[in-house]
Structure formats: structure tokens, C-alpha cells
Amino acid sequence: MSRWLTEAVPRGRVAAFRTVIYLFVAADLVIFTPWVRTRVSVPGDLYQPLLIGRLLPLPTPTPALVAVIFWALLALALLAATGRAPRLLGWAVCALYLEWMIIAMSYGKVDHDRFGLLIALAVLPTAGRARHGDATRTEAGGWALRVTQIAVICTYFLAAWAKLRFGGLDWLTGSVLARAIIRRGTDLADVIAQVPYLLIVAQFGIVAFELLSPVVFLLPARWRLAMVGFFYSFHAVTIATITISFAPHLAAMTSFLPLERVRPLVWARRLAGRRTSGPATDAPEPDPVPLDQAPVGAGAERAPLGDQAPVVGRPAGP
């Protein structure tokens, strides 16, 4: 079990995953959760902190506190994405983002798609230094990726467990997807909803897929990537039909991917080099023509053959 948990991975994969996660944190602040800054306009009496917020304890959000967290987290996340000071910056980003999420989720709604991302932020500082393109393997980095993978799969499995625990079998045979389509469905969802019993079949399929998600750890590498591709396609359909985004979960799920093969900066440099060098440099050089077949024009001289020097009035060669 310990060998599986600490399976060594290339350091380049850890570096790429670290960049993806910290860049997503920065994007999350300005794209997905900028509404957290509006919480300061809500009366403090409505702030009901999560259990962790009560245990620490954390202060009630104020405009100054939220502004400091926002700008500090944005700057530190961008710095951490470069791979510098992985432990110092990593722990700082983890603490600030946790507080950001506590503020976001302490007003009556808790999103379960953040679990994998929070675990990734908690374990990445333990992976140590890693450079893009480094093929040497690291068990510490492998442990960080494995723990994140487990968190991603737990998100699926526990979601199915919650559906059956609180909704029972009625969740499978009820109108859950129909209500979602009425609330926030797209034109594609309206077309799908017209097919008889298709939504019921989809609900059975969703629960089955979530319950069977741990199988991904039992598959060979190639089939594991195929199953992860299915996970991504499932969320693509979800966004296209009921406009529910699991962006933090999708970022954490890149822990399954061989990210060391994706090197956009190297590709960009190669492309820029080809454009500046021009097409002539890419053309193959012509093969040299044998001396005995080379044309001899007026004033042209043959090169000496072997160690025999040409004699005046006599052709070069034996």
C-alpha cells in the first residue's frame, strides 16, 4: 500500500501540476469566485462559519480583510506558479485560499467541487522543488499527486453516497435532472428532455458512474487515461446541458495526466525559431556529387585524387 501511495513520478509532472493548480487559483479569484468580495455587504449576523471556521476561530469578514486576502492570494498564487519557494509560497497560498473558501461557503451553500483542489493545495508544498521537463523521479511528488487523485475520486463516490443517503431511490426515479433543466438548462438540454425516459436513464447512469469511479485505480495506465477522459467528457456534457461548472474539480483531476509531456513554452520557442530562421533552413542539403561525375567547365579544376598531385598537361589521377 505504501508503495502505491508513493509511486515515483517525474519531477516535470509535479512542476506542471503545480503550475496548473496555482494558475487556477489566480483565475478562480477573478473569474469563478469574484462574488466572494460582495459578501462584505451582507450583514454580519448572516455569517455562519463552517466547523473549521468555528474551531480556529476566524473573524467575521470585513471589507478590509477580504481585500487583503484577495490581493495577497492573487499575487502569491502567481508567484507560486513559477515554482519558486515551493514550501513557503505553497503553504501561504493554501492558508489564504482556505480562508477564501470559508468566507465563500459560510452563507448557506457549500460546493463539493472544491475538495480535490483544497487537498492539492495542502499536499503540493510537501513535494519539494521540481523543474519543468525534469525526468528524474520523486516519491514525494508521487505521494502529492496520489493523494490528490484519491480526493478527486472521493468527490465522485461520496456524491453518489449523499444522493442515495438523502434522496434514496427516489433520486434515481425522480425529476432531479428535469428540475435542473427547467432552472438552468440550455437548448441542447431541451432537446434531450423530449426523449422519453432518457433523463431517468441518465440519473441511473450518473449514480453508477460515481459509485464505480474508484475502479480507475485498478486499470492499466492506458485504460486509466481513457477513463479520466470519460470523466472530462461527463463534465463537458454537464456544462453543455445544465451549465454547471466543476472547474476546480477539473483542475485537480489533471493529477491523473502525464503533464510533463505538455510543454507550451518549449513549443512556442520552437515555433518562434522556425519563423525567424525561414523555410530555407528546413530544406535538406543536396548529396555531394562524386568527383568523377562532376561537370568540368572552362577554368574549372578537379580536386586531387588521393595523395596524387596533378601534373601540368596531364589529367589528375592515376
Side-chain angles (χ1 to χ4, degrees), residues 203-235:
Q203 289 170 184
F204 274 90
I206 290 172
V207 173
F209 141 67
E210 291 176 337
L211 288 175
L212 294 175
S213 59
V215 175
V216 71
F217 293 121
L218 305 177
L219 298 177
R222 180 179 300 179
W223 289 103
R224 186 184 307 129
L225 289 177
M227 190 167 183
V228 172
F230 170 76
F231 293 166
Y232 277 105
S233 65
F234 167 78
H235 290 288

Short mmCIF file of all heavy atoms in Angstrom, two decimals, residues 203-235:
data_model
loop_
_atom_site.label_atom_id
_atom_site.label_comp_id
_atom_site.label_asym_id
_atom_site.label_seq_id
_atom_site.Cartn_x
_atom_site.Cartn_y
_atom_site.Cartn_z
N GLN A 203 -30.00 9.56 -14.89
CA GLN A 203 -29.83 9.59 -13.44
C GLN A 203 -29.26 8.27 -12.92
O GLN A 203 -28.38 8.27 -12.04
CB GLN A 203 -31.17 9.93 -12.78
CG GLN A 203 -31.58 11.37 -13.00
CD GLN A 203 -33.01 11.69 -12.58
OE1 GLN A 203 -33.49 12.80 -12.77
NE2 GLN A 203 -33.73 10.73 -12.02
N PHE A 204 -29.75 7.15 -13.43
CA PHE A 204 -29.17 5.86 -13.08
C PHE A 204 -27.70 5.81 -13.50
O PHE A 204 -26.84 5.31 -12.77
CB PHE A 204 -29.94 4.72 -13.75
CG PHE A 204 -31.13 4.25 -12.97
CD1 PHE A 204 -32.38 4.81 -13.16
CD2 PHE A 204 -30.99 3.23 -12.02
CE1 PHE A 204 -33.47 4.37 -12.43
CE2 PHE A 204 -32.07 2.79 -11.29
CZ PHE A 204 -33.33 3.36 -11.49
N GLY A 205 -27.41 6.33 -14.69
CA GLY A 205 -26.04 6.32 -15.19
C GLY A 205 -25.11 7.17 -14.36
O GLY A 205 -23.95 6.78 -14.11
N ILE A 206 -25.58 8.32 -13.89
CA ILE A 206 -24.74 9.20 -13.08
C ILE A 206 -24.35 8.53 -11.78
O ILE A 206 -23.17 8.52 -11.38
CB ILE A 206 -25.47 10.53 -12.82
CG1 ILE A 206 -25.57 11.35 -14.11
CG2 ILE A 206 -24.76 11.33 -11.74
CD1 ILE A 206 -26.44 12.58 -13.99
N VAL A 207 -25.33 7.92 -11.10
CA VAL A 207 -25.03 7.27 -9.82
C VAL A 207 -24.12 6.07 -10.04
O VAL A 207 -23.17 5.84 -9.26
CB VAL A 207 -26.34 6.86 -9.11
CG1 VAL A 207 -26.04 6.03 -7.88
CG2 VAL A 207 -27.13 8.11 -8.74
N ALA A 208 -24.36 5.29 -11.09
CA ALA A 208 -23.50 4.14 -11.36
C ALA A 208 -22.07 4.58 -11.66
O ALA A 208 -21.10 3.98 -11.16
CB ALA A 208 -24.07 3.34 -12.53
N PHE A 209 -21.93 5.63 -12.45
CA PHE A 209 -20.60 6.14 -12.79
C PHE A 209 -19.86 6.62 -11.54
O PHE A 209 -18.67 6.35 -11.34
CB PHE A 209 -20.74 7.25 -13.84
CG PHE A 209 -19.81 8.41 -13.66
CD1 PHE A 209 -18.45 8.27 -13.82
CD2 PHE A 209 -20.31 9.67 -13.36
CE1 PHE A 209 -17.59 9.34 -13.66
CE2 PHE A 209 -19.47 10.75 -13.19
CZ PHE A 209 -18.11 10.58 -13.34
N GLU A 210 -20.57 7.32 -10.65
CA GLU A 210 -19.92 7.84 -9.45
C GLU A 210 -19.53 6.71 -8.48
O GLU A 210 -18.47 6.75 -7.86
CB GLU A 210 -20.84 8.84 -8.76
CG GLU A 210 -21.01 10.14 -9.56
CD GLU A 210 -22.01 11.08 -8.93
OE1 GLU A 210 -22.88 10.61 -8.16
OE2 GLU A 210 -21.93 12.29 -9.20
N LEU A 211 -20.39 5.70 -8.36
CA LEU A 211 -20.07 4.58 -7.48
C LEU A 211 -18.91 3.74 -8.00
O LEU A 211 -18.13 3.19 -7.22
CB LEU A 211 -21.31 3.70 -7.29
CG LEU A 211 -22.45 4.28 -6.43
CD1 LEU A 211 -23.63 3.33 -6.44
CD2 LEU A 211 -21.98 4.56 -5.01
N LEU A 212 -18.78 3.65 -9.31
CA LEU A 212 -17.73 2.84 -9.91
C LEU A 212 -16.45 3.62 -10.18
O LEU A 212 -15.48 3.05 -10.69
CB LEU A 212 -18.23 2.23 -11.23
CG LEU A 212 -19.36 1.21 -11.10
CD1 LEU A 212 -19.85 0.79 -12.48
CD2 LEU A 212 -18.91 0.00 -10.30
N SER A 213 -16.42 4.89 -9.84
CA SER A 213 -15.24 5.71 -10.15
C SER A 213 -13.95 5.19 -9.51
O SER A 213 -12.88 5.34 -10.11
CB SER A 213 -15.49 7.16 -9.72
OG SER A 213 -15.78 7.24 -8.33
N PRO A 214 -13.96 4.56 -8.32
CA PRO A 214 -12.69 4.04 -7.78
C PRO A 214 -12.02 2.98 -8.64
O PRO A 214 -10.84 2.69 -8.45
CB PRO A 214 -13.11 3.47 -6.41
CG PRO A 214 -14.33 4.23 -6.03
CD PRO A 214 -15.05 4.46 -7.32
N VAL A 215 -12.76 2.41 -9.60
CA VAL A 215 -12.17 1.40 -10.49
C VAL A 215 -10.98 1.98 -11.26
O VAL A 215 -10.11 1.24 -11.72
CB VAL A 215 -13.25 0.86 -11.45
CG1 VAL A 215 -12.67 -0.11 -12.48
CG2 VAL A 215 -14.33 0.15 -10.65
N VAL A 216 -10.92 3.30 -11.39
CA VAL A 216 -9.85 3.92 -12.16
C VAL A 216 -8.47 3.54 -11.62
O VAL A 216 -7.49 3.47 -12.38
CB VAL A 216 -10.03 5.45 -12.17
CG1 VAL A 216 -9.74 6.05 -10.81
CG2 VAL A 216 -9.16 6.10 -13.23
N PHE A 217 -8.38 3.26 -10.33
CA PHE A 217 -7.09 2.90 -9.74
C PHE A 217 -6.68 1.47 -10.05
O PHE A 217 -5.52 1.10 -9.83
CB PHE A 217 -7.14 3.09 -8.22
CG PHE A 217 -7.27 4.52 -7.80
CD1 PHE A 217 -8.35 4.94 -7.04
CD2 PHE A 217 -6.30 5.46 -8.14
CE1 PHE A 217 -8.46 6.27 -6.63
CE2 PHE A 217 -6.40 6.78 -7.74
CZ PHE A 217 -7.50 7.19 -6.99
N LEU A 218 -7.61 0.67 -10.55
CA LEU A 218 -7.31 -0.73 -10.84
C LEU A 218 -6.96 -0.96 -12.30
O LEU A 218 -6.57 -2.07 -12.68
CB LEU A 218 -8.50 -1.62 -10.47
CG LEU A 218 -9.00 -1.50 -9.02
CD1 LEU A 218 -10.23 -2.38 -8.82
CD2 LEU A 218 -7.91 -1.85 -8.03
N LEU A 219 -7.08 0.07 -13.12
CA LEU A 219 -6.88 -0.08 -14.55
C LEU A 219 -5.42 0.12 -14.93
O LEU A 219 -4.68 0.85 -14.26
CB LEU A 219 -7.75 0.93 -15.31
CG LEU A 219 -9.26 0.80 -15.12
CD1 LEU A 219 -9.97 1.93 -15.86
CD2 LEU A 219 -9.77 -0.55 -15.59
N PRO A 220 -4.98 -0.50 -16.05
CA PRO A 220 -3.65 -0.18 -16.59
C PRO A 220 -3.57 1.28 -17.00
O PRO A 220 -4.60 1.96 -17.14
CB PRO A 220 -3.52 -1.12 -17.80
CG PRO A 220 -4.54 -2.19 -17.57
CD PRO A 220 -5.65 -1.56 -16.80
N ALA A 221 -2.37 1.77 -17.20
CA ALA A 221 -2.16 3.20 -17.45
C ALA A 221 -2.97 3.71 -18.63
O ALA A 221 -3.60 4.77 -18.56
CB ALA A 221 -0.67 3.48 -17.66
N ARG A 222 -2.97 2.95 -19.74
CA ARG A 222 -3.68 3.43 -20.93
C ARG A 222 -5.18 3.52 -20.68
O ARG A 222 -5.83 4.50 -21.03
CB ARG A 222 -3.39 2.49 -22.10
CG ARG A 222 -4.09 2.92 -23.40
CD ARG A 222 -3.75 1.98 -24.54
NE ARG A 222 -2.32 1.96 -24.81
CZ ARG A 222 -1.75 1.20 -25.75
NH1 ARG A 222 -2.50 0.40 -26.49
NH2 ARG A 222 -0.45 1.26 -25.94
N TRP A 223 -5.75 2.49 -20.06
CA TRP A 223 -7.19 2.49 -19.79
C TRP A 223 -7.53 3.50 -18.70
O TRP A 223 -8.64 4.05 -18.69
CB TRP A 223 -7.65 1.10 -19.41
CG TRP A 223 -7.64 0.14 -20.56
CD1 TRP A 223 -6.72 -0.83 -20.83
CD2 TRP A 223 -8.59 0.11 -21.64
NE1 TRP A 223 -7.04 -1.47 -22.00
CE2 TRP A 223 -8.19 -0.93 -22.51
CE3 TRP A 223 -9.73 0.84 -21.94
CZ2 TRP A 223 -8.89 -1.24 -23.67
CZ3 TRP A 223 -10.44 0.53 -23.08
CH2 TRP A 223 -10.02 -0.49 -23.93
N ARG A 224 -6.60 3.75 -17.80
CA ARG A 224 -6.85 4.76 -16.78
C ARG A 224 -7.01 6.14 -17.42
O ARG A 224 -7.91 6.90 -17.07
CB ARG A 224 -5.71 4.78 -15.77
CG ARG A 224 -5.96 5.71 -14.58
CD ARG A 224 -4.76 5.75 -13.66
NE ARG A 224 -4.37 4.41 -13.28
CZ ARG A 224 -3.14 3.95 -13.39
NH1 ARG A 224 -2.17 4.73 -13.86
NH2 ARG A 224 -2.84 2.72 -13.01
N LEU A 225 -6.15 6.46 -18.37
CA LEU A 225 -6.27 7.73 -19.08
C LEU A 225 -7.58 7.81 -19.85
O LEU A 225 -8.20 8.87 -19.93
CB LEU A 225 -5.08 7.93 -20.01
CG LEU A 225 -3.73 8.22 -19.34
CD1 LEU A 225 -2.64 8.33 -20.38
CD2 LEU A 225 -3.80 9.49 -18.50
N ALA A 226 -8.00 6.68 -20.42
CA ALA A 226 -9.27 6.67 -21.15
C ALA A 226 -10.44 6.94 -20.21
O ALA A 226 -11.38 7.68 -20.55
CB ALA A 226 -9.46 5.32 -21.85
N MET A 227 -10.39 6.37 -19.01
CA MET A 227 -11.47 6.61 -18.04
C MET A 227 -11.46 8.05 -17.56
O MET A 227 -12.53 8.66 -17.38
CB MET A 227 -11.32 5.65 -16.86
CG MET A 227 -12.53 5.65 -15.93
SD MET A 227 -12.50 4.28 -14.76
CE MET A 227 -14.07 4.55 -13.90
N VAL A 228 -10.28 8.61 -17.35
CA VAL A 228 -10.21 10.02 -16.97
C VAL A 228 -10.76 10.91 -18.09
O VAL A 228 -11.43 11.91 -17.85
CB VAL A 228 -8.76 10.41 -16.62
CG1 VAL A 228 -8.63 11.92 -16.41
CG2 VAL A 228 -8.30 9.66 -15.38
N GLY A 229 -10.49 10.51 -19.34
CA GLY A 229 -11.09 11.22 -20.46
C GLY A 229 -12.60 11.16 -20.42
O GLY A 229 -13.29 12.15 -20.75
N PHE A 230 -13.15 10.02 -20.00
CA PHE A 230 -14.60 9.92 -19.83
C PHE A 230 -15.09 10.86 -18.75
O PHE A 230 -16.15 11.49 -18.88
CB PHE A 230 -15.00 8.48 -19.51
CG PHE A 230 -16.44 8.33 -19.09
CD1 PHE A 230 -17.45 8.36 -20.04
CD2 PHE A 230 -16.78 8.16 -17.76
CE1 PHE A 230 -18.78 8.23 -19.66
CE2 PHE A 230 -18.10 8.03 -17.37
CZ PHE A 230 -19.10 8.07 -18.33
N PHE A 231 -14.33 10.97 -17.65
CA PHE A 231 -14.71 11.92 -16.60
C PHE A 231 -14.82 13.34 -17.16
O PHE A 231 -15.80 14.04 -16.88
CB PHE A 231 -13.66 11.91 -15.48
CG PHE A 231 -13.58 10.64 -14.70
CD1 PHE A 231 -12.50 10.39 -13.86
CD2 PHE A 231 -14.57 9.68 -14.79
CE1 PHE A 231 -12.42 9.21 -13.13
CE2 PHE A 231 -14.50 8.49 -14.07
CZ PHE A 231 -13.41 8.26 -13.24
N TYR A 232 -13.83 13.74 -17.94
CA TYR A 232 -13.86 15.08 -18.53
C TYR A 232 -15.04 15.24 -19.49
O TYR A 232 -15.68 16.30 -19.53
CB TYR A 232 -12.54 15.38 -19.24
CG TYR A 232 -11.45 15.87 -18.33
CD1 TYR A 232 -10.39 15.02 -17.97
CD2 TYR A 232 -11.44 17.16 -17.84
CE1 TYR A 232 -9.38 15.46 -17.12
CE2 TYR A 232 -10.44 17.61 -17.00
CZ TYR A 232 -9.41 16.76 -16.64
OH TYR A 232 -8.41 17.20 -15.80
N SER A 233 -15.33 14.22 -20.28
CA SER A 233 -16.45 14.30 -21.21
C SER A 233 -17.78 14.41 -20.45
O SER A 233 -18.70 15.11 -20.89
CB SER A 233 -16.46 13.09 -22.14
OG SER A 233 -16.70 11.89 -21.40
N PHE A 234 -17.88 13.73 -19.32
CA PHE A 234 -19.09 13.83 -18.49
C PHE A 234 -19.32 15.28 -18.06
O PHE A 234 -20.44 15.79 -18.14
CB PHE A 234 -18.96 12.92 -17.28
CG PHE A 234 -19.98 13.16 -16.20
CD1 PHE A 234 -21.28 12.69 -16.35
CD2 PHE A 234 -19.65 13.87 -15.05
CE1 PHE A 234 -22.23 12.92 -15.36
CE2 PHE A 234 -20.60 14.11 -14.07
CZ PHE A 234 -21.89 13.63 -14.21
N HIS A 235 -18.27 15.94 -17.63
CA HIS A 235 -18.41 17.33 -17.19
C HIS A 235 -18.65 18.27 -18.37
O HIS A 235 -19.33 19.29 -18.22
CB HIS A 235 -17.18 17.76 -16.41
CG HIS A 235 -17.07 17.08 -15.07
ND1 HIS A 235 -17.88 17.37 -14.01
CD2 HIS A 235 -16.24 16.08 -14.64
CE1 HIS A 235 -17.56 16.61 -12.97
NE2 HIS A 235 -16.57 15.82 -13.33
#
